């Protein structure tokens, strides 16, 4: 089976690796986003997919706008591929491109479709507190993740998983599922299943206001926002921006899902939960662990934070470094 691979971020790398290592599959070329300028030196940095492709001496095509790039369109057509594999490529493919491969375009999507169609399925499924997610492979059509479904694979979500943790799990799951999908397509062992549009939800691009922490929200809602939009959620301390990068909701419904190092807080729970502070107020400093913050409903432990211009630090190092005190109030993010 001859394949052209479309992908850009680290999430797509395990799938390309699996394709390159499979004896029955041949990757003809890779299409990825143009290099981007990053870092203090403003240097052009290739995508993770491009870096892998170059180590395997594969042709790499990087059109700025693939629908309008006639050179790339000609190359794609001339390749006479059996299938285009698309994993987090970052551009919408035209119907002209979708019609080129003999079998079709197969997408590896980071959710159980039709839930969380769109650009950020992993982040929004965490934000909404899902307990399970997975990967769907589908035959692409001109819509946004609306194509007929091929195979699905599921994985549970732990209480402290963040979007980076979950992306690593799903990228490996997606790589395995893609191989299974291609081999079954080759042998005509899959019947594509249309999506039920009435059950669809949309995972839009994350915007700046989504990162702002509002302490009047419930502790579990803040926890899901912080882990879903990791590592960019912000509060305010003493007039300065403060990133909150890891938390844990506290209470009887959560102890069993927390590690032993945090379950020790249960013995002080009656005392902790008896004091009702205002949203954002530091109600306790758990020795060796971190500050505990009152929210609109429930208490939230700050496990890791990042002060502007500094590296992330544990909640307890944050307490010591800032001389944080009980009664001090963290303000909402700006």
């Amino acid at each position: 089976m001859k394949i052209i691979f479309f992908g850009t971020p680290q999430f797509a790398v395990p799938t390309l690796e699996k394709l390159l290592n499979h004896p029955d599959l041949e990757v003809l070329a890779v299409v990825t986003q143009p290099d981007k300028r990053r870092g203090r030196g403003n240097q052009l940095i290739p995508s993770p997919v491009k870096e892998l492709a170059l180590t395997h001496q594969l042709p790499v095509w990087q059109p700025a706008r693939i629908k309008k790039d006639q050179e790339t369109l000609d190359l794609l057509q001339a390749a006479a591929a059996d299938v285009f594999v698309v994993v987090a490529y970052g551009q919408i493919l035209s119907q002209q491109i979708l019609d080129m491969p003999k079998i079709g375009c197969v997408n590896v999507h980071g959710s159980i479709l039709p839930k969380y169609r769109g650009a950020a399925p992993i982040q929004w499924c965490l934000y909404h507190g899902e307990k399970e997610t997975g990967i769907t492979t589908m035959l692409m059509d001109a819509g946004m993740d609306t194509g007929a479904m091929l195979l699905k694979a599921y994985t549970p979500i732990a209480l402290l998983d963040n979007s980076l943790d979950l992306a690593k799990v799903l990228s490996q799951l997606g790589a395995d599922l893609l191989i299974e999908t291609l081999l079954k397509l080759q042998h005509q062992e899959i019947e594509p299943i249309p999506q039920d549009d009435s059950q669809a939800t949309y995972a839009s691009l994350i915007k700046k206001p989504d990162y702002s922490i509002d302490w009047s929200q419930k502790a579990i809602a803040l926890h899901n926002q912080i882990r879903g939009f990791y590592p960019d959620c912000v509060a305010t301390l003493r007039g300065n921006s403060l990133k909150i990068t890891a938390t844990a909701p506290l209470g009887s419904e959560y102890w069993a899902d927390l590690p032993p190092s945090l379950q020790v807080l249960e013995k002080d729970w009656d005392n902790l939960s008896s004091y009702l502070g205002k949203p954002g107020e530091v109600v306790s400093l758990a020795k060796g662990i971190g500050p505990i913050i009152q929210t609109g409903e429930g208490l939230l432990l700050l496990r890791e934070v990042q002060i502007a211009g500094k590296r992330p630090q544990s909640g307890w190092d944050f307490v010591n470094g800032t001389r944080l005190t009980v009664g001090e109030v963290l303000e909402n993010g700006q």
Side-chain angles (χ1 to χ4, degrees):
M1 185 180 277
K2 297 183 183 300
I3 297 160
I4 292 178
F5 184 85
F6 295 68
T8 299
Q10 182 60 38
F11 182 82
V13 167
T15 303
L16 180 55
E17 286 178 329
K18 280 274 171 75
L19 288 171
L20 290 168
N21 290 325
H22 198 286
D24 297 331
L25 305 171
E26 180 187 359
V27 180
L28 303 175
V30 163
V31 185
T32 190
Q33 292 275 56
D35 297 356
K36 292 191 175 176
R37 294 194 181 277
R38 288 197 177 94
R40 291 183 180 177
N42 204 29
Q43 292 181 317
L44 278 173
I45 305 296
S47 72
V49 162
K50 179 180 178 179
E51 288 186 336
L52 177 60
L54 292 178
T55 65
H56 288 265
Q57 290 82 50
L58 286 171
V60 176
W61 307 331
Q62 296 179 272
R65 295 183 64 198
I66 192 166
K67 291 196 249 187
K68 304 283 188 181
D69 192 300
Q70 193 58 50
E71 182 183 355
T72 303
L73 293 173
D74 290 344
L75 288 166
L76 289 170
Q77 189 71 62
D82 296 303
V83 66
F84 293 170
V85 169
V86 183
V87 188
Y89 169 49
Q91 294 190 45
I92 294 172
L93 304 187
S94 65
Q95 190 64 51
Q96 178 188 4
I97 297 171
L98 296 175
D99 290 339
M100 287 181 185
K102 293 168 190 162
I103 295 172
C105 295
V106 176
N107 178 236
V108 177
H109 185 74
S111 79
I112 299 300
L113 290 170
K115 291 186 78 173
Y116 302 109
R117 294 173 176 173
I122 296 170
Q123 291 88 339
W124 287 105
C125 95
L126 286 166
Y127 177 86
H128 289 295
E130 301 284 2
K131 301 291 177 66
E132 182 181 62
T133 187
I135 292 286
T136 307
T137 52
M138 66 174 166
L139 282 174
M140 295 173 69
D141 62 17
M144 175 66 78
D145 301 324
T146 55
M149 301 175 293
L150 298 169
L151 295 178
K152 295 181 180 182
Y154 297 80
T155 187
I157 302 173
L159 180 63
L160 299 187
D161 284 345
N162 64 29
S163 56
L164 181 62
D165 301 325
L166 195 52
K168 287 178 181 176
V169 171
L170 289 175
S171 67
Q172 296 294 337
L173 196 66
D176 292 334
L177 192 68
L178 186 273
I179 298 299
E180 182 183 354
T181 299
L182 292 183
L183 296 179
K184 286 187 173 179
L185 279 173
Q186 192 174 31
H187 296 104
Q188 298 181 319
E189 295 172 355
I190 299 181
E191 186 65 41
I193 301 170
Q195 293 187 44
D196 181 353
D197 291 341
S198 70
Q199 300 297 311
T201 60
Y202 184 62
S204 60
L205 281 169
I206 301 159
K207 299 174 182 174
K208 188 176 180 181
D210 297 321
Y211 297 125
S212 182
I213 291 171
D214 176 357
W215 295 109
S216 69
Q217 299 297 307
K218 294 180 180 181
I220 187 63
L222 290 169
H223 172 68
N224 289 335
Q225 175 190 7
I226 289 160
R227 68 192 184 128
F229 302 151
Y230 173 87
D232 293 314
C233 288
V234 293
T236 304
L237 175 67
R238 302 169 188 168
N240 296 313
S241 179
L242 175 72
K243 281 189 177 182
I244 312 292
T245 50
T247 57
L250 304 179
S252 57
E253 61 266 59
Y254 307 117
W255 300 126
D257 295 319
L258 294 175
S261 60
L262 300 184
Q263 288 176 355
V264 298
L265 296 171
E266 185 177 6
K267 66 180 178 3
D268 296 324
W269 182 242
D270 288 344
N271 184 44
L272 275 172
S273 57
S274 64
Y275 176 72
L276 186 64
K278 62 182 181 181
E281 183 176 341
V282 180
V283 298
S284 180
L285 302 172
K287 190 171 183 181
I289 299 175
I292 297 172
I293 312 297
Q294 178 70 55
T295 71
E297 184 181 313
L299 299 181
L300 190 68
L301 169 71
L302 305 190
R303 296 165 48 225
E304 184 185 85
V305 305
Q306 185 174 8
I307 296 169
K310 297 189 177 181
R311 294 184 177 183
Q313 59 185 163
S314 71
W316 188 242
D317 286 345
F318 167 62
V319 168
N320 290 328
T322 59
R323 306 197 176 203
L324 198 67
T325 58
V326 171
E328 192 162 1
V329 176
L330 278 66
E331 304 292 343
N332 293 342
Q334 299 297 318

